[in-house]
Amino acid sequence: MSKLEGYFAALPTPFSDDCQQIAQKALGDLVQFNIESRLDGLYVGGSTGEAFLMSVAERETVLATVAEAADGRTTLMAHVGDPNPAVSAHLAKFAAKVGYDVISAVPPFYYSYSVAEITEHYRWLSCQTDLPFVIYNFPALSGVKWSPAELADLLKLSNIVGVKNTCSDLYAFDQLRRLAPKSVLLHGFDESLLAGLSFGADGGIGSTYNVQASRVLALAKAYREGRNEDARRLQSQANKLIDVLVSVGVIPSLKFILNQQGIDMGECRPPFGALTKDQKKSLEAAVENLM
Ligand code: MN9
């Protein structure tokens, strides 16, 4: 199994001082917590990490703090996507310098670009370091929708080894699997991980892995061993918790649950709002009954 296959937690970012500071000690605790859960690696500075609510300097602090806390004990993927390619290139070089294993990026967003322009962007960005590069495909949030053939073409670019595929179209995923048999395809929606594995995914990257890693790893093991009913039951159990997280808001929910586990995550930055009393009650019930 290559370093890129397996199960990676998409890391949230702890803030302190009324969300003004990166809570570096808590971030180190979160890294340790995930390493002890025996996941294969960490996906750092992505959507779950509130990357787009941070300055470039803060994104560097997160990358450096995680690398120091991990100390080579797990595979680290740095998300460097940004509307500004210069920022992405800068963060990619920084991540390589502090010891990351993989670079990843969502396509540049806000303005709409042609497939040719985005392809040129990835050709250029993926060569900013010598590290393997993983495309982050999240059409619902990035607004960029590739056909399987277009995504397979991107995967042919040098240095580009795979994709974090956060997309619920499993038919398109199967087409991509057939078009890119040698690429590492990591499933990005936790609620359909088993479906992704059954269509040939090489693993997954997920935000909810931070709070249910053992269930995710048990699901993957059951699938590998052909225990389909066990795998389906585990996916359904995972989804009962995801139902609550999605209804409240995934990132604020993760922080609330991790706070309850003793990791001082603080809150999400505005525009995210504070959790209501009822939302906290439903999360407390979920922790009690579903974890
Ligand atoms: O890449 C992940 N993270 C976010 C998507 O959407 C921020 C997923 O792990 C989802 O959070 C998860 C729940 O919908 O599948």
Side-chain angles (χ1 to χ4, degrees), residues 209-246:
Y209 296 11
N210 287 278
V211 296
Q212 55 182 352
S214 54
R215 191 173 279 152
V216 169
L217 295 173
L219 182 164
K221 187 170 186 290
Y223 174 74
R224 276 197 309 275
E225 295 172 356
R227 293 183 285 110
N228 295 335
E229 192 45 36
D230 289 344
R232 199 200 54 74
R233 178 176 46 77
L234 286 158
Q235 179 72 79
S236 194
Q237 282 175 3
N239 289 359
K240 286 177 186 166
L241 178 61
I242 295 172
D243 288 348
V244 182
L245 302 188
V246 168

PDB file of all heavy atoms in Angstrom, residues 209-246:
ATOM      1  N   TYR A 209     -13.912  11.645  10.466  1.00  0.00           N
ATOM      2  CA  TYR A 209     -12.932  10.656  10.967  1.00  0.00           C
ATOM      3  C   TYR A 209     -12.325  11.155  12.279  1.00  0.00           C
ATOM      4  O   TYR A 209     -11.845  10.360  13.085  1.00  0.00           O
ATOM      5  CB  TYR A 209     -11.792  10.441   9.971  1.00  0.00           C
ATOM      6  CG  TYR A 209     -12.138   9.847   8.621  1.00  0.00           C
ATOM      7  CD1 TYR A 209     -13.454   9.717   8.188  1.00  0.00           C
ATOM      8  CD2 TYR A 209     -11.116   9.434   7.758  1.00  0.00           C
ATOM      9  CE1 TYR A 209     -13.740   9.189   6.931  1.00  0.00           C
ATOM     10  CE2 TYR A 209     -11.403   8.907   6.507  1.00  0.00           C
ATOM     11  CZ  TYR A 209     -12.714   8.799   6.100  1.00  0.00           C
ATOM     12  OH  TYR A 209     -13.010   8.278   4.853  1.00  0.00           O
ATOM     13  N   ASN A 210     -12.328  12.456  12.500  1.00  0.00           N
ATOM     14  CA  ASN A 210     -11.787  12.990  13.763  1.00  0.00           C
ATOM     15  C   ASN A 210     -12.545  12.468  14.969  1.00  0.00           C
ATOM     16  O   ASN A 210     -11.992  12.443  16.078  1.00  0.00           O
ATOM     17  CB  ASN A 210     -11.886  14.524  13.765  1.00  0.00           C
ATOM     18  CG  ASN A 210     -10.892  15.197  12.849  1.00  0.00           C
ATOM     19  OD1 ASN A 210      -9.733  15.393  13.212  1.00  0.00           O
ATOM     20  ND2 ASN A 210     -11.321  15.545  11.654  1.00  0.00           N
ATOM     21  N   VAL A 211     -13.816  12.122  14.799  1.00  0.00           N
ATOM     22  CA  VAL A 211     -14.629  11.716  15.961  1.00  0.00           C
ATOM     23  C   VAL A 211     -15.160  10.293  15.846  1.00  0.00           C
ATOM     24  O   VAL A 211     -15.841   9.823  16.758  1.00  0.00           O
ATOM     25  CB  VAL A 211     -15.808  12.698  16.176  1.00  0.00           C
ATOM     26  CG1 VAL A 211     -15.301  14.084  16.529  1.00  0.00           C
ATOM     27  CG2 VAL A 211     -16.735  12.759  14.970  1.00  0.00           C
ATOM     28  N   GLN A 212     -14.882   9.597  14.749  1.00  0.00           N
ATOM     29  CA  GLN A 212     -15.299   8.186  14.662  1.00  0.00           C
ATOM     30  C   GLN A 212     -14.317   7.358  13.845  1.00  0.00           C
ATOM     31  O   GLN A 212     -14.698   6.535  13.009  1.00  0.00           O
ATOM     32  CB  GLN A 212     -16.723   8.042  14.134  1.00  0.00           C
ATOM     33  CG  GLN A 212     -17.087   8.666  12.824  1.00  0.00           C
ATOM     34  CD  GLN A 212     -18.581   8.427  12.507  1.00  0.00           C
ATOM     35  OE1 GLN A 212     -19.300   7.689  13.188  1.00  0.00           O
ATOM     36  NE2 GLN A 212     -19.050   9.070  11.442  1.00  0.00           N
ATOM     37  N   ALA A 213     -13.035   7.569  14.129  1.00  0.00           N
ATOM     38  CA  ALA A 213     -11.973   6.872  13.388  1.00  0.00           C
ATOM     39  C   ALA A 213     -12.080   5.358  13.531  1.00  0.00           C
ATOM     40  O   ALA A 213     -11.942   4.620  12.555  1.00  0.00           O
ATOM     41  CB  ALA A 213     -10.608   7.351  13.874  1.00  0.00           C
ATOM     42  N   SER A 214     -12.377   4.878  14.742  1.00  0.00           N
ATOM     43  CA  SER A 214     -12.396   3.417  14.945  1.00  0.00           C
ATOM     44  C   SER A 214     -13.507   2.789  14.100  1.00  0.00           C
ATOM     45  O   SER A 214     -13.334   1.712  13.516  1.00  0.00           O
ATOM     46  CB  SER A 214     -12.591   3.090  16.419  1.00  0.00           C
ATOM     47  OG  SER A 214     -13.740   3.742  16.910  1.00  0.00           O
ATOM     48  N   ARG A 215     -14.622   3.492  13.981  1.00  0.00           N
ATOM     49  CA  ARG A 215     -15.737   2.961  13.159  1.00  0.00           C
ATOM     50  C   ARG A 215     -15.342   2.954  11.678  1.00  0.00           C
ATOM     51  O   ARG A 215     -15.612   1.993  10.945  1.00  0.00           O
ATOM     52  CB  ARG A 215     -16.968   3.830  13.377  1.00  0.00           C
ATOM     53  CG  ARG A 215     -18.235   3.278  12.833  1.00  0.00           C
ATOM     54  CD  ARG A 215     -19.410   4.146  13.268  1.00  0.00           C
ATOM     55  NE  ARG A 215     -19.854   3.846  14.630  1.00  0.00           N
ATOM     56  CZ  ARG A 215     -20.434   4.744  15.429  1.00  0.00           C
ATOM     57  NH1 ARG A 215     -20.565   6.001  15.034  1.00  0.00           N
ATOM     58  NH2 ARG A 215     -20.872   4.390  16.624  1.00  0.00           N
ATOM     59  N   VAL A 216     -14.675   4.025  11.241  1.00  0.00           N
ATOM     60  CA  VAL A 216     -14.242   4.101   9.836  1.00  0.00           C
ATOM     61  C   VAL A 216     -13.255   2.975   9.534  1.00  0.00           C
ATOM     62  O   VAL A 216     -13.363   2.272   8.522  1.00  0.00           O
ATOM     63  CB  VAL A 216     -13.594   5.483   9.551  1.00  0.00           C
ATOM     64  CG1 VAL A 216     -12.904   5.510   8.190  1.00  0.00           C
ATOM     65  CG2 VAL A 216     -14.632   6.588   9.644  1.00  0.00           C
ATOM     66  N   LEU A 217     -12.299   2.769  10.442  1.00  0.00           N
ATOM     67  CA  LEU A 217     -11.292   1.719  10.217  1.00  0.00           C
ATOM     68  C   LEU A 217     -11.916   0.328  10.282  1.00  0.00           C
ATOM     69  O   LEU A 217     -11.545  -0.577   9.516  1.00  0.00           O
ATOM     70  CB  LEU A 217     -10.160   1.871  11.229  1.00  0.00           C
ATOM     71  CG  LEU A 217      -9.339   3.161  11.090  1.00  0.00           C
ATOM     72  CD1 LEU A 217      -8.346   3.312  12.240  1.00  0.00           C
ATOM     73  CD2 LEU A 217      -8.614   3.212   9.736  1.00  0.00           C
ATOM     74  N   ALA A 218     -12.916   0.162  11.143  1.00  0.00           N
ATOM     75  CA  ALA A 218     -13.614  -1.140  11.228  1.00  0.00           C
ATOM     76  C   ALA A 218     -14.416  -1.390   9.950  1.00  0.00           C
ATOM     77  O   ALA A 218     -14.456  -2.508   9.423  1.00  0.00           O
ATOM     78  CB  ALA A 218     -14.532  -1.157  12.444  1.00  0.00           C
ATOM     79  N   LEU A 219     -15.028  -0.316   9.417  1.00  0.00           N
ATOM     80  CA  LEU A 219     -15.783  -0.422   8.156  1.00  0.00           C
ATOM     81  C   LEU A 219     -14.831  -0.850   7.031  1.00  0.00           C
ATOM     82  O   LEU A 219     -15.106  -1.787   6.269  1.00  0.00           O
ATOM     83  CB  LEU A 219     -16.419   0.928   7.838  1.00  0.00           C
ATOM     84  CG  LEU A 219     -17.304   1.094   6.613  1.00  0.00           C
ATOM     85  CD1 LEU A 219     -18.122   2.387   6.739  1.00  0.00           C
ATOM     86  CD2 LEU A 219     -16.529   1.157   5.301  1.00  0.00           C
ATOM     87  N   ALA A 220     -13.670  -0.193   6.959  1.00  0.00           N
ATOM     88  CA  ALA A 220     -12.702  -0.504   5.899  1.00  0.00           C
ATOM     89  C   ALA A 220     -12.211  -1.949   6.020  1.00  0.00           C
ATOM     90  O   ALA A 220     -12.079  -2.665   5.025  1.00  0.00           O
ATOM     91  CB  ALA A 220     -11.533   0.468   5.981  1.00  0.00           C
ATOM     92  N   LYS A 221     -11.968  -2.387   7.257  1.00  0.00           N
ATOM     93  CA  LYS A 221     -11.498  -3.768   7.476  1.00  0.00           C
ATOM     94  C   LYS A 221     -12.578  -4.765   7.077  1.00  0.00           C
ATOM     95  O   LYS A 221     -12.296  -5.768   6.401  1.00  0.00           O
ATOM     96  CB  LYS A 221     -11.113  -3.933   8.941  1.00  0.00           C
ATOM     97  CG  LYS A 221     -10.453  -5.281   9.296  1.00  0.00           C
ATOM     98  CD  LYS A 221      -9.893  -5.247  10.718  1.00  0.00           C
ATOM     99  CE  LYS A 221      -9.100  -6.507  11.064  1.00  0.00           C
ATOM    100  NZ  LYS A 221     -10.000  -7.711  11.196  1.00  0.00           N
ATOM    101  N   ALA A 222     -13.810  -4.484   7.476  1.00  0.00           N
ATOM    102  CA  ALA A 222     -14.919  -5.384   7.121  1.00  0.00           C
ATOM    103  C   ALA A 222     -15.045  -5.477   5.612  1.00  0.00           C
ATOM    104  O   ALA A 222     -15.206  -6.563   5.041  1.00  0.00           O
ATOM    105  CB  ALA A 222     -16.215  -4.880   7.742  1.00  0.00           C
ATOM    106  N   TYR A 223     -14.913  -4.328   4.932  1.00  0.00           N
ATOM    107  CA  TYR A 223     -15.006  -4.342   3.465  1.00  0.00           C
ATOM    108  C   TYR A 223     -13.876  -5.177   2.870  1.00  0.00           C
ATOM    109  O   TYR A 223     -14.101  -6.046   2.020  1.00  0.00           O
ATOM    110  CB  TYR A 223     -14.971  -2.911   2.889  1.00  0.00           C
ATOM    111  CG  TYR A 223     -14.925  -2.912   1.389  1.00  0.00           C
ATOM    112  CD1 TYR A 223     -16.066  -3.224   0.649  1.00  0.00           C
ATOM    113  CD2 TYR A 223     -13.731  -2.688   0.705  1.00  0.00           C
ATOM    114  CE1 TYR A 223     -16.025  -3.294  -0.733  1.00  0.00           C
ATOM    115  CE2 TYR A 223     -13.684  -2.762  -0.675  1.00  0.00           C
ATOM    116  CZ  TYR A 223     -14.828  -3.060  -1.388  1.00  0.00           C
ATOM    117  OH  TYR A 223     -14.776  -3.141  -2.755  1.00  0.00           O
ATOM    118  N   ARG A 224     -12.640  -4.951   3.369  1.00  0.00           N
ATOM    119  CA  ARG A 224     -11.489  -5.685   2.823  1.00  0.00           C
ATOM    120  C   ARG A 224     -11.655  -7.199   3.001  1.00  0.00           C
ATOM    121  O   ARG A 224     -11.262  -7.995   2.164  1.00  0.00           O
ATOM    122  CB  ARG A 224     -10.202  -5.255   3.553  1.00  0.00           C
ATOM    123  CG  ARG A 224      -9.529  -4.013   3.041  1.00  0.00           C
ATOM    124  CD  ARG A 224      -8.077  -3.913   3.535  1.00  0.00           C
ATOM    125  NE  ARG A 224      -7.957  -4.088   4.979  1.00  0.00           N
ATOM    126  CZ  ARG A 224      -8.111  -3.092   5.875  1.00  0.00           C
ATOM    127  NH1 ARG A 224      -8.458  -1.877   5.443  1.00  0.00           N
ATOM    128  NH2 ARG A 224      -7.963  -3.298   7.177  1.00  0.00           N
ATOM    129  N   GLU A 225     -12.294  -7.570   4.128  1.00  0.00           N
ATOM    130  CA  GLU A 225     -12.445  -9.002   4.443  1.00  0.00           C
ATOM    131  C   GLU A 225     -13.734  -9.587   3.858  1.00  0.00           C
ATOM    132  O   GLU A 225     -14.089 -10.737   4.161  1.00  0.00           O
ATOM    133  CB  GLU A 225     -12.402  -9.190   5.961  1.00  0.00           C
ATOM    134  CG  GLU A 225     -11.041  -8.820   6.554  1.00  0.00           C
ATOM    135  CD  GLU A 225     -11.034  -8.806   8.075  1.00  0.00           C
ATOM    136  OE1 GLU A 225     -12.114  -9.004   8.686  1.00  0.00           O
ATOM    137  OE2 GLU A 225      -9.959  -8.586   8.670  1.00  0.00           O
ATOM    138  N   GLY A 226     -14.439  -8.797   3.080  1.00  0.00           N
ATOM    139  CA  GLY A 226     -15.644  -9.313   2.422  1.00  0.00           C
ATOM    140  C   GLY A 226     -16.840  -9.452   3.340  1.00  0.00           C
ATOM    141  O   GLY A 226     -17.831 -10.091   2.986  1.00  0.00           O
ATOM    142  N   ARG A 227     -16.751  -8.858   4.531  1.00  0.00           N
ATOM    143  CA  ARG A 227     -17.894  -8.940   5.481  1.00  0.00           C
ATOM    144  C   ARG A 227     -18.845  -7.779   5.165  1.00  0.00           C
ATOM    145  O   ARG A 227     -18.903  -6.776   5.881  1.00  0.00           O
ATOM    146  CB  ARG A 227     -17.383  -8.896   6.921  1.00  0.00           C
ATOM    147  CG  ARG A 227     -16.568 -10.132   7.286  1.00  0.00           C
ATOM    148  CD  ARG A 227     -16.129 -10.118   8.760  1.00  0.00           C
ATOM    149  NE  ARG A 227     -15.024  -9.167   8.977  1.00  0.00           N
ATOM    150  CZ  ARG A 227     -15.129  -8.029   9.638  1.00  0.00           C
ATOM    151  NH1 ARG A 227     -16.303  -7.630  10.142  1.00  0.00           N
ATOM    152  NH2 ARG A 227     -14.087  -7.213   9.783  1.00  0.00           N
ATOM    153  N   ASN A 228     -19.584  -7.943   4.042  1.00  0.00           N
ATOM    154  CA  ASN A 228     -20.373  -6.822   3.515  1.00  0.00           C
ATOM    155  C   ASN A 228     -21.463  -6.353   4.473  1.00  0.00           C
ATOM    156  O   ASN A 228     -21.714  -5.147   4.602  1.00  0.00           O
ATOM    157  CB  ASN A 228     -20.987  -7.223   2.164  1.00  0.00           C
ATOM    158  CG  ASN A 228     -19.896  -7.464   1.121  1.00  0.00           C
ATOM    159  OD1 ASN A 228     -18.793  -6.909   1.238  1.00  0.00           O
ATOM    160  ND2 ASN A 228     -20.182  -8.309   0.139  1.00  0.00           N
ATOM    161  N   GLU A 229     -22.092  -7.292   5.169  1.00  0.00           N
ATOM    162  CA  GLU A 229     -23.189  -6.888   6.072  1.00  0.00           C
ATOM    163  C   GLU A 229     -22.618  -6.083   7.250  1.00  0.00           C
ATOM    164  O   GLU A 229     -23.190  -5.065   7.652  1.00  0.00           O
ATOM    165  CB  GLU A 229     -23.955  -8.127   6.566  1.00  0.00           C
ATOM    166  CG  GLU A 229     -25.260  -7.813   7.270  1.00  0.00           C
ATOM    167  CD  GLU A 229     -26.112  -6.759   6.562  1.00  0.00           C
ATOM    168  OE1 GLU A 229     -26.141  -6.718   5.309  1.00  0.00           O
ATOM    169  OE2 GLU A 229     -26.702  -5.912   7.271  1.00  0.00           O
ATOM    170  N   ASP A 230     -21.474  -6.505   7.748  1.00  0.00           N
ATOM    171  CA  ASP A 230     -20.828  -5.744   8.833  1.00  0.00           C
ATOM    172  C   ASP A 230     -20.456  -4.341   8.345  1.00  0.00           C
ATOM    173  O   ASP A 230     -20.696  -3.351   9.039  1.00  0.00           O
ATOM    174  CB  ASP A 230     -19.549  -6.467   9.296  1.00  0.00           C
ATOM    175  CG  ASP A 230     -19.844  -7.745  10.062  1.00  0.00           C
ATOM    176  OD1 ASP A 230     -21.011  -7.911  10.502  1.00  0.00           O
ATOM    177  OD2 ASP A 230     -18.927  -8.577  10.205  1.00  0.00           O
ATOM    178  N   ALA A 231     -19.907  -4.291   7.121  1.00  0.00           N
ATOM    179  CA  ALA A 231     -19.485  -2.987   6.566  1.00  0.00           C
ATOM    180  C   ALA A 231     -20.690  -2.073   6.394  1.00  0.00           C
ATOM    181  O   ALA A 231     -20.661  -0.891   6.741  1.00  0.00           O
ATOM    182  CB  ALA A 231     -18.784  -3.198   5.221  1.00  0.00           C
ATOM    183  N   ARG A 232     -21.792  -2.656   5.907  1.00  0.00           N
ATOM    184  CA  ARG A 232     -22.990  -1.821   5.696  1.00  0.00           C
ATOM    185  C   ARG A 232     -23.557  -1.342   7.018  1.00  0.00           C
ATOM    186  O   ARG A 232     -23.951  -0.182   7.157  1.00  0.00           O
ATOM    187  CB  ARG A 232     -24.048  -2.643   4.944  1.00  0.00           C
ATOM    188  CG  ARG A 232     -25.139  -1.792   4.268  1.00  0.00           C
ATOM    189  CD  ARG A 232     -26.378  -2.598   3.969  1.00  0.00           C
ATOM    190  NE  ARG A 232     -26.884  -3.267   5.187  1.00  0.00           N
ATOM    191  CZ  ARG A 232     -27.512  -2.600   6.171  1.00  0.00           C
ATOM    192  NH1 ARG A 232     -27.642  -1.286   6.104  1.00  0.00           N
ATOM    193  NH2 ARG A 232     -27.954  -3.231   7.245  1.00  0.00           N
ATOM    194  N   ARG A 233     -23.519  -2.216   8.031  1.00  0.00           N
ATOM    195  CA  ARG A 233     -24.022  -1.824   9.364  1.00  0.00           C
ATOM    196  C   ARG A 233     -23.168  -0.692   9.936  1.00  0.00           C
ATOM    197  O   ARG A 233     -23.684   0.291  10.474  1.00  0.00           O
ATOM    198  CB  ARG A 233     -23.984  -3.049  10.298  1.00  0.00           C
ATOM    199  CG  ARG A 233     -24.420  -2.779  11.722  1.00  0.00           C
ATOM    200  CD  ARG A 233     -24.446  -4.068  12.527  1.00  0.00           C
ATOM    201  NE  ARG A 233     -23.245  -4.875  12.322  1.00  0.00           N
ATOM    202  CZ  ARG A 233     -22.060  -4.605  12.896  1.00  0.00           C
ATOM    203  NH1 ARG A 233     -21.922  -3.532  13.664  1.00  0.00           N
ATOM    204  NH2 ARG A 233     -20.994  -5.370  12.689  1.00  0.00           N
ATOM    205  N   LEU A 234     -21.858  -0.798   9.764  1.00  0.00           N
ATOM    206  CA  LEU A 234     -20.949   0.236  10.290  1.00  0.00           C
ATOM    207  C   LEU A 234     -21.155   1.562   9.562  1.00  0.00           C
ATOM    208  O   LEU A 234     -21.143   2.634  10.171  1.00  0.00           O
ATOM    209  CB  LEU A 234     -19.498  -0.242  10.185  1.00  0.00           C
ATOM    210  CG  LEU A 234     -19.106  -1.300  11.208  1.00  0.00           C
ATOM    211  CD1 LEU A 234     -17.894  -2.106  10.725  1.00  0.00           C
ATOM    212  CD2 LEU A 234     -18.828  -0.660  12.564  1.00  0.00           C
ATOM    213  N   GLN A 235     -21.379   1.494   8.230  1.00  0.00           N
ATOM    214  CA  GLN A 235     -21.639   2.733   7.494  1.00  0.00           C
ATOM    215  C   GLN A 235     -22.929   3.367   7.997  1.00  0.00           C
ATOM    216  O   GLN A 235     -22.993   4.589   8.206  1.00  0.00           O
ATOM    217  CB  GLN A 235     -21.759   2.443   5.990  1.00  0.00           C
ATOM    218  CG  GLN A 235     -22.052   3.691   5.145  1.00  0.00           C
ATOM    219  CD  GLN A 235     -20.871   4.622   5.029  1.00  0.00           C
ATOM    220  OE1 GLN A 235     -19.960   4.376   4.239  1.00  0.00           O
ATOM    221  NE2 GLN A 235     -20.846   5.695   5.809  1.00  0.00           N
ATOM    222  N   SER A 236     -23.917   2.557   8.267  1.00  0.00           N
ATOM    223  CA  SER A 236     -25.210   3.083   8.731  1.00  0.00           C
ATOM    224  C   SER A 236     -25.062   3.687  10.132  1.00  0.00           C
ATOM    225  O   SER A 236     -25.609   4.759  10.423  1.00  0.00           O
ATOM    226  CB  SER A 236     -26.222   1.938   8.729  1.00  0.00           C
ATOM    227  OG  SER A 236     -27.508   2.453   8.847  1.00  0.00           O
ATOM    228  N   GLN A 237     -24.257   3.068  10.981  1.00  0.00           N
ATOM    229  CA  GLN A 237     -24.004   3.626  12.326  1.00  0.00           C
ATOM    230  C   GLN A 237     -23.282   4.969  12.202  1.00  0.00           C
ATOM    231  O   GLN A 237     -23.639   5.962  12.842  1.00  0.00           O
ATOM    232  CB  GLN A 237     -23.139   2.660  13.147  1.00  0.00           C
ATOM    233  CG  GLN A 237     -23.888   1.482  13.713  1.00  0.00           C
ATOM    234  CD  GLN A 237     -22.928   0.502  14.413  1.00  0.00           C
ATOM    235  OE1 GLN A 237     -21.716   0.744  14.518  1.00  0.00           O
ATOM    236  NE2 GLN A 237     -23.467  -0.613  14.870  1.00  0.00           N
ATOM    237  N   ALA A 238     -22.276   4.996  11.310  1.00  0.00           N
ATOM    238  CA  ALA A 238     -21.524   6.252  11.098  1.00  0.00           C
ATOM    239  C   ALA A 238     -22.476   7.347  10.626  1.00  0.00           C
ATOM    240  O   ALA A 238     -22.390   8.500  11.050  1.00  0.00           O
ATOM    241  CB  ALA A 238     -20.412   6.026  10.077  1.00  0.00           C
ATOM    242  N   ASN A 239     -23.416   6.960   9.766  1.00  0.00           N
ATOM    243  CA  ASN A 239     -24.316   7.962   9.182  1.00  0.00           C
ATOM    244  C   ASN A 239     -25.346   8.495  10.178  1.00  0.00           C
ATOM    245  O   ASN A 239     -25.831   9.626  10.017  1.00  0.00           O
ATOM    246  CB  ASN A 239     -24.996   7.377   7.943  1.00  0.00           C
ATOM    247  CG  ASN A 239     -24.024   7.210   6.795  1.00  0.00           C
ATOM    248  OD1 ASN A 239     -22.840   7.550   6.924  1.00  0.00           O
ATOM    249  ND2 ASN A 239     -24.487   6.672   5.683  1.00  0.00           N
ATOM    250  N   LYS A 240     -25.654   7.711  11.204  1.00  0.00           N
ATOM    251  CA  LYS A 240     -26.557   8.241  12.234  1.00  0.00           C
ATOM    252  C   LYS A 240     -25.893   9.436  12.924  1.00  0.00           C
ATOM    253  O   LYS A 240     -26.542  10.444  13.217  1.00  0.00           O
ATOM    254  CB  LYS A 240     -26.904   7.155  13.263  1.00  0.00           C
ATOM    255  CG  LYS A 240     -27.883   6.120  12.746  1.00  0.00           C
ATOM    256  CD  LYS A 240     -28.127   5.044  13.769  1.00  0.00           C
ATOM    257  CE  LYS A 240     -29.002   3.912  13.211  1.00  0.00           C
ATOM    258  NZ  LYS A 240     -28.945   2.712  14.113  1.00  0.00           N
ATOM    259  N   LEU A 241     -24.586   9.339  13.153  1.00  0.00           N
ATOM    260  CA  LEU A 241     -23.861  10.464  13.752  1.00  0.00           C
ATOM    261  C   LEU A 241     -23.731  11.599  12.721  1.00  0.00           C
ATOM    262  O   LEU A 241     -23.972  12.776  13.039  1.00  0.00           O
ATOM    263  CB  LEU A 241     -22.471  10.013  14.214  1.00  0.00           C
ATOM    264  CG  LEU A 241     -21.576  11.098  14.822  1.00  0.00           C
ATOM    265  CD1 LEU A 241     -22.219  11.710  16.070  1.00  0.00           C
ATOM    266  CD2 LEU A 241     -20.195  10.539  15.151  1.00  0.00           C
ATOM    267  N   ILE A 242     -23.418  11.252  11.474  1.00  0.00           N
ATOM    268  CA  ILE A 242     -23.275  12.272  10.430  1.00  0.00           C
ATOM    269  C   ILE A 242     -24.596  13.008  10.206  1.00  0.00           C
ATOM    270  O   ILE A 242     -24.600  14.232   9.969  1.00  0.00           O
ATOM    271  CB  ILE A 242     -22.732  11.649   9.128  1.00  0.00           C
ATOM    272  CG1 ILE A 242     -21.301  11.131   9.343  1.00  0.00           C
ATOM    273  CG2 ILE A 242     -22.784  12.633   7.971  1.00  0.00           C
ATOM    274  CD1 ILE A 242     -20.722  10.329   8.197  1.00  0.00           C
ATOM    275  N   ASP A 243     -25.727  12.325  10.366  1.00  0.00           N
ATOM    276  CA  ASP A 243     -27.038  13.001  10.258  1.00  0.00           C
ATOM    277  C   ASP A 243     -27.072  14.224  11.175  1.00  0.00           C
ATOM    278  O   ASP A 243     -27.475  15.318  10.784  1.00  0.00           O
ATOM    279  CB  ASP A 243     -28.179  12.056  10.687  1.00  0.00           C
ATOM    280  CG  ASP A 243     -28.468  10.947   9.681  1.00  0.00           C
ATOM    281  OD1 ASP A 243     -27.947  11.038   8.551  1.00  0.00           O
ATOM    282  OD2 ASP A 243     -29.198  10.011  10.048  1.00  0.00           O
ATOM    283  N   VAL A 244     -26.626  14.029  12.414  1.00  0.00           N
ATOM    284  CA  VAL A 244     -26.680  15.114  13.399  1.00  0.00           C
ATOM    285  C   VAL A 244     -25.661  16.197  13.051  1.00  0.00           C
ATOM    286  O   VAL A 244     -25.964  17.396  13.054  1.00  0.00           O
ATOM    287  CB  VAL A 244     -26.423  14.577  14.827  1.00  0.00           C
ATOM    288  CG1 VAL A 244     -26.529  15.706  15.845  1.00  0.00           C
ATOM    289  CG2 VAL A 244     -27.413  13.463  15.168  1.00  0.00           C
ATOM    290  N   LEU A 245     -24.441  15.768  12.683  1.00  0.00           N
ATOM    291  CA  LEU A 245     -23.388  16.747  12.357  1.00  0.00           C
ATOM    292  C   LEU A 245     -23.811  17.623  11.181  1.00  0.00           C
ATOM    293  O   LEU A 245     -23.617  18.844  11.182  1.00  0.00           O
ATOM    294  CB  LEU A 245     -22.074  16.024  12.030  1.00  0.00           C
ATOM    295  CG  LEU A 245     -21.477  15.102  13.106  1.00  0.00           C
ATOM    296  CD1 LEU A 245     -20.088  14.642  12.685  1.00  0.00           C
ATOM    297  CD2 LEU A 245     -21.420  15.759  14.456  1.00  0.00           C
ATOM    298  N   VAL A 246     -24.375  17.003  10.169  1.00  0.00           N
ATOM    299  CA  VAL A 246     -24.775  17.755   8.971  1.00  0.00           C
ATOM    300  C   VAL A 246     -25.939  18.693   9.298  1.00  0.00           C
ATOM    301  O   VAL A 246     -25.973  19.843   8.848  1.00  0.00           O
ATOM    302  CB  VAL A 246     -25.128  16.790   7.817  1.00  0.00           C
ATOM    303  CG1 VAL A 246     -25.829  17.520   6.682  1.00  0.00           C
ATOM    304  CG2 VAL A 246     -23.875  16.097   7.285  1.00  0.00           C
TER     305      VAL A 246
END
